Amino acid sequence: MMDELTLIQRIVVWILPVIFAITVHEVAHGWVAKKYGDNTASSLGRLTLNPIKHIDLLEPLFFLDCY
């Protein structure tokens, strides 16, 4: 079936599950951190399945400094 899909269709089929998986992964990080006493994710409102809440435009700039 995947051979019959165009490139755009393949991207649409893959992007939603990937975004959902990344969001659940990040919520799990925040939840465990909160259980261990770090309330940072909770105070930033990132204990939600809303993927827009997990976007941080400044974070990639910090990683550029590491290289």
Side-chain angles (χ1 to χ4, degrees):
M1 179 175 157
M2 288 298 275
D3 294 332
E4 300 170 5
L5 300 177
T6 66
L7 178 61
I8 299 298
Q9 289 171 330
R10 288 181 191 185
I11 291 171
V12 170
V13 166
W14 278 94
I15 197 74
L16 291 177
V18 168
I19 289 174
F20 181 72
I22 292 171
T23 303
V24 169
H25 178 87
E26 292 305 319
V27 169
H29 277 291
W31 183 77
V32 170
K34 186 174 181 178
K35 292 295 180 186
Y36 281 96
D38 182 2
N39 291 321
T40 305
S42 180
S43 66
L44 292 174
R46 293 188 175 176
L47 293 182
T48 177
L49 292 178
N50 180 359
I52 294 174
K53 290 285 193 174
H54 297 276
I55 296 173
D56 186 1
L57 298 176
L58 295 178
E59 188 173 350
L61 296 176
F62 295 117
F63 287 114
L64 288 177
D65 190 41
C66 296
Y67 294 106

